[in-house]
Amino acid sequence: MDYWKSKEQRLEEDRVDEVLELIWMLIEDGEATVENIARKSEDPQVSPLLKDIESFGLISIDHHSGKVAFKETGKGRAEQIIRRHRIAERLLSEVFEVEERQIEDHACELEHTHVLGQVVVDSICTFLGHPPTCPHGKVIPRGECCKKFSLDVKPLVGSLTDLRIGEEAKIVFISSKYHARLDRLSSLGIIPGSVIRLHQKQPTYVIRIGETELALDKDLAKEIFVKKI
Amino acid sequence: MHDHGTEAIKAGEKIIIVGNPNVGKSVIFGLLTGRYADVSNYPGTTVTLTTGSYNMGGVDTQVIDTPGVNTLIPMSEDEVVTRDILINEPAKQIIQVVDAKNLSRGLVISIQLAEMGLPFVLVLNMWDEANSRGINIDVEKLAAAIGTMVIPTVGVERKGIKELREALYKRTFPSIAINYGEAIEAGIRRLEPLLPEVKSKRAISLMLLAGDESLKPWLKGHVGIIDITKIESIRHDIQDKYYEPLGYIINQIRVKRCEKVIADVMSKSQTDRSPIMVHLGNWAMHPVWGIPVLLAVLFLTYEFVGVFGAQTLVDLLEHKLFGSYINPSMTKVVTLLTSDTFFRDLLIGEYGIITMALTYSIAIILPIVGTFFIAFGILEDSGYLPRLAMMVNKIFKLMGLHGKAALPMVLGLGCDTMATLTARIMETRKERVIVTLLLALGVPCSAQLGVILGMLGGISFYVTLLWIFIVVLVLFLVGFVASKVIKGESSDFVFDIPPFRVPILSNILFKTLSRIKWYLKEAVPLFILGTLILFTLDKTGVLKVIEAGASPIVVGFLGLPRKATGAFLIGFLRRDYGAAGLYALAEAGELTPNQILVSLVTITLFVPCVANSMVMIKERGLKTAVAIMAFIFPFAFLVGGVLNFVLNGLGIKL
């Protein structure tokens, strides 16, 4: 997080980020041109800004066709923005269960470098199990953390229902909207940090925690998120 | 013994037994008081409070066996009861029973007892099971960590009870304490001055912070309205500092602390436990193998109750004992004693107390009920019932219930009245009402079942299946509709499955005896009363009038002979008794197979008996109970009538 930068610098940076993000998405859907960038951008000063970005060496503009392409550094930066945005979407929708229409706004805030640093993004990515796509199905660019993990891309944290029978896992969090349910589970020893073993899934879930075997409904099992050990 | 107890027992001070569900509290209670309470595997069977008396150094001290709890921040009716007892009753000594295999769940309660400022003795029960699983607990270290005495026991084998008796003389207050972190501790400090002078201020503050609704009535009795508002706002202040509910956070801190204690005192070594019981236990809840196990259990139960109890034993008692010895000799005695036909009929006539009421209740009902309770006791103590609950969970979910409801339903096959009492294990009102309704509507008790199976078996196996199918279908449909109509919530299905065990014979016999005693005390007077009513109606000619009055329904709608009215009339009192009346008619050849099926379906759907109605009123309230009964009786006739029309309409001759 770049605390040392002034507010104006950050604002300027954010504007550049927004345009780079737009270019990325336009290329994803076909091609990016000066024309469709100008049409889709929310920035009132998008044309001079594009020229600035070109002069920073981030993009190249073909002045005949108006086609916009990334240069090496620009592509890297855009990739990070997209990655942050889509990882943020995933986090908000899956873990915090933020409503669909609010996700976009928050994700836009979170996508900027000064909000979520690389280390944090990678941790979130790992936490979510290196998701390949955002909730809308678009590809999330791979980060360093995913490459280390590339051989075996399985989520680190998943619902209890994703465990295989006989697997052991540690409870990471329980996402229930019902307080009574949390209270009841915690009184049975089901709290984050407890180690459980999945015994069976049918006809109901059975987990083993310490020397206790507990039967529970799938509805409940779905809300218990665990990390395999 | 005076050198033991430094403190004399004050009047009214009690010994209170607490602990998680299924840890053997009732066994310890039984060993102390000598009076047998219900011991079983299923969570929550100690639904009613059991109290007894224990001679403590020459002083009779009351012992209370409380319902099992997992936390003293209550989440169910049972837990409220236990918590309230701990707050309100003057305790001489508390015995906390813990399953030695599941120490951590027990310690969570120990911590809460410590916070309440209560003295206790920690009993590590099922010490043998823990050992056989390779769990070693350092008793002295544990005692030092909590600050109370710790006694390992094996309740069912009476091991460690002598040590427990000794330990009871000494009151030791636990020293274990938790710091909940600055925010929560600050909340406790702000709450404590608002509370009345009680020992357990810290514990009550924590309950209030955790948002314990069940404490409200107590609060209203002890704290002014202004302070209640203050308490609410303090709670909100503290809750605002956390994302998760405070109750959950407090629980988490407690569990973590327990785990720390356990890491110091417990070690695990290689186990050499017999794998057969483990495998059996696993098969019994396996998605595929669980079904043959279930069928095998049903078959064995049927062989034992339906064949051995209802046929062999009934035959022995009814025909041999009563038919050949008691009734003829009683008839002789009565004939000798009195020549008055009124008294003769009263005792030995068609509706006679000896020939009808006693023969019926002792010769027919007793063997069936007895064998059923033995079978049920074995299922309970072996740990099969919770596994059964798992297997049927999905079906019950369609009726707004879950697998836990299987326990009252199965028990209902023994005695619906008893089962209505155990409906308390269901957590929400909606669930309890549905269970009560279904029990009253269509779960035949073993007495009735015996009579019915006897009658249907006489026709054919398929008719028996048809009867089962119709009753189950009606139950299911009513349950399904009830789950939509009755307002309220359903609870979560989560409970612990005890290990599969070989039941101990003496425990089962004890339990069966106390259940039979209960049953006879409840049933026999009703049989006699019912017989007397029938006798009176018959003698005064009122029976004929009622038969005439009811004939449009009985004869017209149900297509039955007029005489069946008497059976239905008595069915209002006890439906198995009504079924017995039908049995007599069928034996006399006055019912066709079609009529037998129609009449049996109708009587099966009656409210079981007067005692059941009383329990319904007591447990569910007058309004709900009356509503249930007002639905059931017309509905029973409706189903019977529809069945009659369908059979006739399709021209089916069974």
Side-chain angles (χ1 to χ4, degrees), chain B residues 395-416:
Chain B
I395 301 167
F396 278 89
K397 285 205 100 172
L398 292 171
M399 298 188 278
L401 301 168
H402 54 64
K404 245 182 174 175
L407 174 84
M409 295 299 200
V410 175
L411 185 57
L413 293 173
C415 171
D416 283 300

mmCIF file with all atom_site columns, all heavy atoms in Angstrom, chain B residues 395-416:
data_model
loop_
_atom_site.group_PDB
_atom_site.id
_atom_site.type_symbol
_atom_site.label_atom_id
_atom_site.label_alt_id
_atom_site.label_comp_id
_atom_site.label_asym_id
_atom_site.label_entity_id
_atom_site.label_seq_id
_atom_site.pdbx_PDB_ins_code
_atom_site.Cartn_x
_atom_site.Cartn_y
_atom_site.Cartn_z
_atom_site.occupancy
_atom_site.B_iso_or_equiv
_atom_site.pdbx_formal_charge
_atom_site.auth_seq_id
_atom_site.auth_comp_id
_atom_site.auth_asym_id
_atom_site.auth_atom_id
_atom_site.pdbx_PDB_model_num
ATOM 1   N N   . ILE B 1 395 ? -37.311 -38.508 5.394  1.00 0.00 ? 395 ILE B N   1
ATOM 2   C CA  . ILE B 1 395 ? -38.758 -38.677 5.331  1.00 0.00 ? 395 ILE B CA  1
ATOM 3   C C   . ILE B 1 395 ? -39.441 -37.720 6.308  1.00 0.00 ? 395 ILE B C   1
ATOM 4   O O   . ILE B 1 395 ? -40.411 -37.049 5.968  1.00 0.00 ? 395 ILE B O   1
ATOM 5   C CB  . ILE B 1 395 ? -39.134 -40.136 5.673  1.00 0.00 ? 395 ILE B CB  1
ATOM 6   C CG1 . ILE B 1 395 ? -38.456 -41.070 4.682  1.00 0.00 ? 395 ILE B CG1 1
ATOM 7   C CG2 . ILE B 1 395 ? -40.636 -40.315 5.685  1.00 0.00 ? 395 ILE B CG2 1
ATOM 8   C CD1 . ILE B 1 395 ? -38.491 -42.521 5.082  1.00 0.00 ? 395 ILE B CD1 1
ATOM 9   N N   . PHE B 1 396 ? -38.876 -37.636 7.508  1.00 0.00 ? 396 PHE B N   1
ATOM 10  C CA  . PHE B 1 396 ? -39.483 -36.761 8.508  1.00 0.00 ? 396 PHE B CA  1
ATOM 11  C C   . PHE B 1 396 ? -39.368 -35.296 8.121  1.00 0.00 ? 396 PHE B C   1
ATOM 12  O O   . PHE B 1 396 ? -40.184 -34.478 8.525  1.00 0.00 ? 396 PHE B O   1
ATOM 13  C CB  . PHE B 1 396 ? -38.850 -37.007 9.879  1.00 0.00 ? 396 PHE B CB  1
ATOM 14  C CG  . PHE B 1 396 ? -39.437 -38.184 10.597 1.00 0.00 ? 396 PHE B CG  1
ATOM 15  C CD1 . PHE B 1 396 ? -38.915 -39.449 10.408 1.00 0.00 ? 396 PHE B CD1 1
ATOM 16  C CD2 . PHE B 1 396 ? -40.532 -38.035 11.425 1.00 0.00 ? 396 PHE B CD2 1
ATOM 17  C CE1 . PHE B 1 396 ? -39.462 -40.547 11.048 1.00 0.00 ? 396 PHE B CE1 1
ATOM 18  C CE2 . PHE B 1 396 ? -41.083 -39.131 12.069 1.00 0.00 ? 396 PHE B CE2 1
ATOM 19  C CZ  . PHE B 1 396 ? -40.546 -40.382 11.877 1.00 0.00 ? 396 PHE B CZ  1
ATOM 20  N N   . LYS B 1 397 ? -38.352 -34.965 7.347  1.00 0.00 ? 397 LYS B N   1
ATOM 21  C CA  . LYS B 1 397 ? -38.200 -33.559 6.945  1.00 0.00 ? 397 LYS B CA  1
ATOM 22  C C   . LYS B 1 397 ? -39.383 -33.097 6.111  1.00 0.00 ? 397 LYS B C   1
ATOM 23  O O   . LYS B 1 397 ? -39.767 -31.940 6.153  1.00 0.00 ? 397 LYS B O   1
ATOM 24  C CB  . LYS B 1 397 ? -36.895 -33.368 6.166  1.00 0.00 ? 397 LYS B CB  1
ATOM 25  C CG  . LYS B 1 397 ? -35.691 -33.393 7.068  1.00 0.00 ? 397 LYS B CG  1
ATOM 26  C CD  . LYS B 1 397 ? -34.542 -32.648 6.475  1.00 0.00 ? 397 LYS B CD  1
ATOM 27  C CE  . LYS B 1 397 ? -34.472 -31.275 7.096  1.00 0.00 ? 397 LYS B CE  1
ATOM 28  N NZ  . LYS B 1 397 ? -33.274 -30.560 6.715  1.00 0.00 ? 397 LYS B NZ  1
ATOM 29  N N   . LEU B 1 398 ? -39.952 -34.027 5.339  1.00 0.00 ? 398 LEU B N   1
ATOM 30  C CA  . LEU B 1 398 ? -41.111 -33.665 4.526  1.00 0.00 ? 398 LEU B CA  1
ATOM 31  C C   . LEU B 1 398 ? -42.320 -33.327 5.400  1.00 0.00 ? 398 LEU B C   1
ATOM 32  O O   . LEU B 1 398 ? -43.265 -32.696 4.952  1.00 0.00 ? 398 LEU B O   1
ATOM 33  C CB  . LEU B 1 398 ? -41.470 -34.816 3.575  1.00 0.00 ? 398 LEU B CB  1
ATOM 34  C CG  . LEU B 1 398 ? -40.445 -35.073 2.481  1.00 0.00 ? 398 LEU B CG  1
ATOM 35  C CD1 . LEU B 1 398 ? -40.774 -36.345 1.738  1.00 0.00 ? 398 LEU B CD1 1
ATOM 36  C CD2 . LEU B 1 398 ? -40.392 -33.888 1.514  1.00 0.00 ? 398 LEU B CD2 1
ATOM 37  N N   . MET B 1 399 ? -42.277 -33.781 6.647  1.00 0.00 ? 399 MET B N   1
ATOM 38  C CA  . MET B 1 399 ? -43.392 -33.502 7.547  1.00 0.00 ? 399 MET B CA  1
ATOM 39  C C   . MET B 1 399 ? -43.045 -32.375 8.516  1.00 0.00 ? 399 MET B C   1
ATOM 40  O O   . MET B 1 399 ? -43.649 -32.249 9.583  1.00 0.00 ? 399 MET B O   1
ATOM 41  C CB  . MET B 1 399 ? -43.762 -34.767 8.312  1.00 0.00 ? 399 MET B CB  1
ATOM 42  C CG  . MET B 1 399 ? -44.213 -35.888 7.410  1.00 0.00 ? 399 MET B CG  1
ATOM 43  S SD  . MET B 1 399 ? -44.868 -37.290 8.321  1.00 0.00 ? 399 MET B SD  1
ATOM 44  C CE  . MET B 1 399 ? -43.392 -38.148 8.784  1.00 0.00 ? 399 MET B CE  1
ATOM 45  N N   . GLY B 1 400 ? -42.070 -31.561 8.125  1.00 0.00 ? 400 GLY B N   1
ATOM 46  C CA  . GLY B 1 400 ? -41.715 -30.416 8.963  1.00 0.00 ? 400 GLY B CA  1
ATOM 47  C C   . GLY B 1 400 ? -40.970 -30.835 10.224 1.00 0.00 ? 400 GLY B C   1
ATOM 48  O O   . GLY B 1 400 ? -40.846 -30.066 11.162 1.00 0.00 ? 400 GLY B O   1
ATOM 49  N N   . LEU B 1 401 ? -40.513 -32.088 10.255 1.00 0.00 ? 401 LEU B N   1
ATOM 50  C CA  . LEU B 1 401 ? -39.795 -32.577 11.436 1.00 0.00 ? 401 LEU B CA  1
ATOM 51  C C   . LEU B 1 401 ? -38.397 -32.969 10.999 1.00 0.00 ? 401 LEU B C   1
ATOM 52  O O   . LEU B 1 401 ? -37.990 -32.696 9.890  1.00 0.00 ? 401 LEU B O   1
ATOM 53  C CB  . LEU B 1 401 ? -40.506 -33.801 12.004 1.00 0.00 ? 401 LEU B CB  1
ATOM 54  C CG  . LEU B 1 401 ? -41.950 -33.599 12.434 1.00 0.00 ? 401 LEU B CG  1
ATOM 55  C CD1 . LEU B 1 401 ? -42.618 -34.929 12.685 1.00 0.00 ? 401 LEU B CD1 1
ATOM 56  C CD2 . LEU B 1 401 ? -42.005 -32.748 13.694 1.00 0.00 ? 401 LEU B CD2 1
ATOM 57  N N   . HIS B 1 402 ? -37.650 -33.613 11.880 1.00 0.00 ? 402 HIS B N   1
ATOM 58  C CA  . HIS B 1 402 ? -36.438 -34.263 11.413 1.00 0.00 ? 402 HIS B CA  1
ATOM 59  C C   . HIS B 1 402 ? -36.247 -35.560 12.173 1.00 0.00 ? 402 HIS B C   1
ATOM 60  O O   . HIS B 1 402 ? -37.067 -35.931 13.008 1.00 0.00 ? 402 HIS B O   1
ATOM 61  C CB  . HIS B 1 402 ? -35.237 -33.332 11.496 1.00 0.00 ? 402 HIS B CB  1
ATOM 62  C CG  . HIS B 1 402 ? -35.013 -32.733 12.843 1.00 0.00 ? 402 HIS B CG  1
ATOM 63  N ND1 . HIS B 1 402 ? -34.712 -33.498 13.934 1.00 0.00 ? 402 HIS B ND1 1
ATOM 64  C CD2 . HIS B 1 402 ? -35.064 -31.459 13.268 1.00 0.00 ? 402 HIS B CD2 1
ATOM 65  C CE1 . HIS B 1 402 ? -34.570 -32.703 14.965 1.00 0.00 ? 402 HIS B CE1 1
ATOM 66  N NE2 . HIS B 1 402 ? -34.793 -31.462 14.604 1.00 0.00 ? 402 HIS B NE2 1
ATOM 67  N N   . GLY B 1 403 ? -35.134 -36.227 11.873 1.00 0.00 ? 403 GLY B N   1
ATOM 68  C CA  . GLY B 1 403 ? -34.907 -37.581 12.360 1.00 0.00 ? 403 GLY B CA  1
ATOM 69  C C   . GLY B 1 403 ? -35.143 -37.798 13.843 1.00 0.00 ? 403 GLY B C   1
ATOM 70  O O   . GLY B 1 403 ? -35.557 -38.879 14.258 1.00 0.00 ? 403 GLY B O   1
ATOM 71  N N   . LYS B 1 404 ? -34.898 -36.758 14.629 1.00 0.00 ? 404 LYS B N   1
ATOM 72  C CA  . LYS B 1 404 ? -35.072 -36.885 16.069 1.00 0.00 ? 404 LYS B CA  1
ATOM 73  C C   . LYS B 1 404 ? -36.494 -37.311 16.424 1.00 0.00 ? 404 LYS B C   1
ATOM 74  O O   . LYS B 1 404 ? -36.720 -37.959 17.441 1.00 0.00 ? 404 LYS B O   1
ATOM 75  C CB  . LYS B 1 404 ? -34.774 -35.539 16.724 1.00 0.00 ? 404 LYS B CB  1
ATOM 76  C CG  . LYS B 1 404 ? -33.578 -35.552 17.622 1.00 0.00 ? 404 LYS B CG  1
ATOM 77  C CD  . LYS B 1 404 ? -33.452 -34.164 18.219 1.00 0.00 ? 404 LYS B CD  1
ATOM 78  C CE  . LYS B 1 404 ? -32.377 -34.063 19.259 1.00 0.00 ? 404 LYS B CE  1
ATOM 79  N NZ  . LYS B 1 404 ? -32.225 -32.678 19.704 1.00 0.00 ? 404 LYS B NZ  1
ATOM 80  N N   . ALA B 1 405 ? -37.455 -36.951 15.576 1.00 0.00 ? 405 ALA B N   1
ATOM 81  C CA  . ALA B 1 405 ? -38.850 -37.285 15.847 1.00 0.00 ? 405 ALA B CA  1
ATOM 82  C C   . ALA B 1 405 ? -39.082 -38.787 15.797 1.00 0.00 ? 405 ALA B C   1
ATOM 83  O O   . ALA B 1 405 ? -40.122 -39.267 16.243 1.00 0.00 ? 405 ALA B O   1
ATOM 84  C CB  . ALA B 1 405 ? -39.766 -36.579 14.852 1.00 0.00 ? 405 ALA B CB  1
ATOM 85  N N   . ALA B 1 406 ? -38.120 -39.532 15.267 1.00 0.00 ? 406 ALA B N   1
ATOM 86  C CA  . ALA B 1 406 ? -38.289 -40.980 15.197 1.00 0.00 ? 406 ALA B CA  1
ATOM 87  C C   . ALA B 1 406 ? -38.382 -41.589 16.591 1.00 0.00 ? 406 ALA B C   1
ATOM 88  O O   . ALA B 1 406 ? -39.068 -42.587 16.784 1.00 0.00 ? 406 ALA B O   1
ATOM 89  C CB  . ALA B 1 406 ? -37.125 -41.614 14.432 1.00 0.00 ? 406 ALA B CB  1
ATOM 90  N N   . LEU B 1 407 ? -37.713 -40.991 17.568 1.00 0.00 ? 407 LEU B N   1
ATOM 91  C CA  . LEU B 1 407 ? -37.748 -41.580 18.911 1.00 0.00 ? 407 LEU B CA  1
ATOM 92  C C   . LEU B 1 407 ? -39.156 -41.584 19.500 1.00 0.00 ? 407 LEU B C   1
ATOM 93  O O   . LEU B 1 407 ? -39.656 -42.646 19.859 1.00 0.00 ? 407 LEU B O   1
ATOM 94  C CB  . LEU B 1 407 ? -36.785 -40.878 19.857 1.00 0.00 ? 407 LEU B CB  1
ATOM 95  C CG  . LEU B 1 407 ? -36.942 -41.407 21.287 1.00 0.00 ? 407 LEU B CG  1
ATOM 96  C CD1 . LEU B 1 407 ? -36.154 -42.675 21.524 1.00 0.00 ? 407 LEU B CD1 1
ATOM 97  C CD2 . LEU B 1 407 ? -36.638 -40.383 22.327 1.00 0.00 ? 407 LEU B CD2 1
ATOM 98  N N   . PRO B 1 408 ? -39.831 -40.424 19.593 1.00 0.00 ? 408 PRO B N   1
ATOM 99  C CA  . PRO B 1 408 ? -41.207 -40.500 20.106 1.00 0.00 ? 408 PRO B CA  1
ATOM 100 C C   . PRO B 1 408 ? -42.103 -41.391 19.256 1.00 0.00 ? 408 PRO B C   1
ATOM 101 O O   . PRO B 1 408 ? -42.966 -42.074 19.805 1.00 0.00 ? 408 PRO B O   1
ATOM 102 C CB  . PRO B 1 408 ? -41.691 -39.041 20.092 1.00 0.00 ? 408 PRO B CB  1
ATOM 103 C CG  . PRO B 1 408 ? -40.636 -38.237 19.481 1.00 0.00 ? 408 PRO B CG  1
ATOM 104 C CD  . PRO B 1 408 ? -39.386 -39.041 19.411 1.00 0.00 ? 408 PRO B CD  1
ATOM 105 N N   . MET B 1 409 ? -41.879 -41.405 17.944 1.00 0.00 ? 409 MET B N   1
ATOM 106 C CA  . MET B 1 409 ? -42.733 -42.225 17.080 1.00 0.00 ? 409 MET B CA  1
ATOM 107 C C   . MET B 1 409 ? -42.558 -43.718 17.377 1.00 0.00 ? 409 MET B C   1
ATOM 108 O O   . MET B 1 409 ? -43.524 -44.458 17.453 1.00 0.00 ? 409 MET B O   1
ATOM 109 C CB  . MET B 1 409 ? -42.395 -41.982 15.604 1.00 0.00 ? 409 MET B CB  1
ATOM 110 C CG  . MET B 1 409 ? -42.711 -40.581 15.151 1.00 0.00 ? 409 MET B CG  1
ATOM 111 S SD  . MET B 1 409 ? -44.458 -40.195 15.317 1.00 0.00 ? 409 MET B SD  1
ATOM 112 C CE  . MET B 1 409 ? -44.558 -38.837 14.207 1.00 0.00 ? 409 MET B CE  1
ATOM 113 N N   . VAL B 1 410 ? -41.305 -44.143 17.528 1.00 0.00 ? 410 VAL B N   1
ATOM 114 C CA  . VAL B 1 410 ? -41.068 -45.559 17.811 1.00 0.00 ? 410 VAL B CA  1
ATOM 115 C C   . VAL B 1 410 ? -41.577 -45.899 19.214 1.00 0.00 ? 410 VAL B C   1
ATOM 116 O O   . VAL B 1 410 ? -42.225 -46.919 19.425 1.00 0.00 ? 410 VAL B O   1
ATOM 117 C CB  . VAL B 1 410 ? -39.566 -45.905 17.686 1.00 0.00 ? 410 VAL B CB  1
ATOM 118 C CG1 . VAL B 1 410 ? -39.317 -47.344 18.111 1.00 0.00 ? 410 VAL B CG1 1
ATOM 119 C CG2 . VAL B 1 410 ? -39.109 -45.702 16.257 1.00 0.00 ? 410 VAL B CG2 1
ATOM 120 N N   . LEU B 1 411 ? -41.305 -44.997 20.158 1.00 0.00 ? 411 LEU B N   1
ATOM 121 C CA  . LEU B 1 411 ? -41.789 -45.236 21.516 1.00 0.00 ? 411 LEU B CA  1
ATOM 122 C C   . LEU B 1 411 ? -43.315 -45.298 21.520 1.00 0.00 ? 411 LEU B C   1
ATOM 123 O O   . LEU B 1 411 ? -43.925 -46.015 22.306 1.00 0.00 ? 411 LEU B O   1
ATOM 124 C CB  . LEU B 1 411 ? -41.291 -44.137 22.458 1.00 0.00 ? 411 LEU B CB  1
ATOM 125 C CG  . LEU B 1 411 ? -41.626 -44.310 23.938 1.00 0.00 ? 411 LEU B CG  1
ATOM 126 C CD1 . LEU B 1 411 ? -41.083 -45.629 24.464 1.00 0.00 ? 411 LEU B CD1 1
ATOM 127 C CD2 . LEU B 1 411 ? -41.075 -43.162 24.766 1.00 0.00 ? 411 LEU B CD2 1
ATOM 128 N N   . GLY B 1 412 ? -43.931 -44.530 20.613 1.00 0.00 ? 412 GLY B N   1
ATOM 129 C CA  . GLY B 1 412 ? -45.389 -44.526 20.495 1.00 0.00 ? 412 GLY B CA  1
ATOM 130 C C   . GLY B 1 412 ? -45.939 -45.902 20.168 1.00 0.00 ? 412 GLY B C   1
ATOM 131 O O   . GLY B 1 412 ? -47.066 -46.231 20.547 1.00 0.00 ? 412 GLY B O   1
ATOM 132 N N   . LEU B 1 413 ? -45.136 -46.702 19.479 1.00 0.00 ? 413 LEU B N   1
ATOM 133 C CA  . LEU B 1 413 ? -45.572 -48.068 19.185 1.00 0.00 ? 413 LEU B CA  1
ATOM 134 C C   . LEU B 1 413 ? -45.663 -48.884 20.472 1.00 0.00 ? 413 LEU B C   1
ATOM 135 O O   . LEU B 1 413 ? -46.271 -49.940 20.504 1.00 0.00 ? 413 LEU B O   1
ATOM 136 C CB  . LEU B 1 413 ? -44.612 -48.748 18.208 1.00 0.00 ? 413 LEU B CB  1
ATOM 137 C CG  . LEU B 1 413 ? -44.592 -48.173 16.793 1.00 0.00 ? 413 LEU B CG  1
ATOM 138 C CD1 . LEU B 1 413 ? -43.480 -48.805 15.978 1.00 0.00 ? 413 LEU B CD1 1
ATOM 139 C CD2 . LEU B 1 413 ? -45.923 -48.390 16.099 1.00 0.00 ? 413 LEU B CD2 1
ATOM 140 N N   . GLY B 1 414 ? -45.028 -48.379 21.531 1.00 0.00 ? 414 GLY B N   1
ATOM 141 C CA  . GLY B 1 414 ? -45.153 -49.030 22.826 1.00 0.00 ? 414 GLY B CA  1
ATOM 142 C C   . GLY B 1 414 ? -46.292 -48.402 23.589 1.00 0.00 ? 414 GLY B C   1
ATOM 143 O O   . GLY B 1 414 ? -47.259 -49.056 23.964 1.00 0.00 ? 414 GLY B O   1
ATOM 144 N N   . CYS B 1 415 ? -46.193 -47.097 23.797 1.00 0.00 ? 415 CYS B N   1
ATOM 145 C CA  . CYS B 1 415 ? -47.235 -46.393 24.532 1.00 0.00 ? 415 CYS B CA  1
ATOM 146 C C   . CYS B 1 415 ? -47.239 -44.944 24.071 1.00 0.00 ? 415 CYS B C   1
ATOM 147 O O   . CYS B 1 415 ? -46.256 -44.238 24.221 1.00 0.00 ? 415 CYS B O   1
ATOM 148 C CB  . CYS B 1 415 ? -46.961 -46.470 26.029 1.00 0.00 ? 415 CYS B CB  1
ATOM 149 S SG  . CYS B 1 415 ? -48.047 -45.415 26.997 1.00 0.00 ? 415 CYS B SG  1
ATOM 150 N N   . ASP B 1 416 ? -48.364 -44.521 23.512 1.00 0.00 ? 416 ASP B N   1
ATOM 151 C CA  . ASP B 1 416 ? -48.446 -43.165 22.976 1.00 0.00 ? 416 ASP B CA  1
ATOM 152 C C   . ASP B 1 416 ? -48.375 -42.099 24.061 1.00 0.00 ? 416 ASP B C   1
ATOM 153 O O   . ASP B 1 416 ? -47.889 -41.000 23.836 1.00 0.00 ? 416 ASP B O   1
ATOM 154 C CB  . ASP B 1 416 ? -49.741 -42.997 22.180 1.00 0.00 ? 416 ASP B CB  1
ATOM 155 C CG  . ASP B 1 416 ? -49.642 -43.656 20.817 1.00 0.00 ? 416 ASP B CG  1
ATOM 156 O OD1 . ASP B 1 416 ? -48.765 -43.260 20.050 1.00 0.00 ? 416 ASP B OD1 1
ATOM 157 O OD2 . ASP B 1 416 ? -50.438 -44.572 20.541 1.00 0.00 ? 416 ASP B OD2 1
#
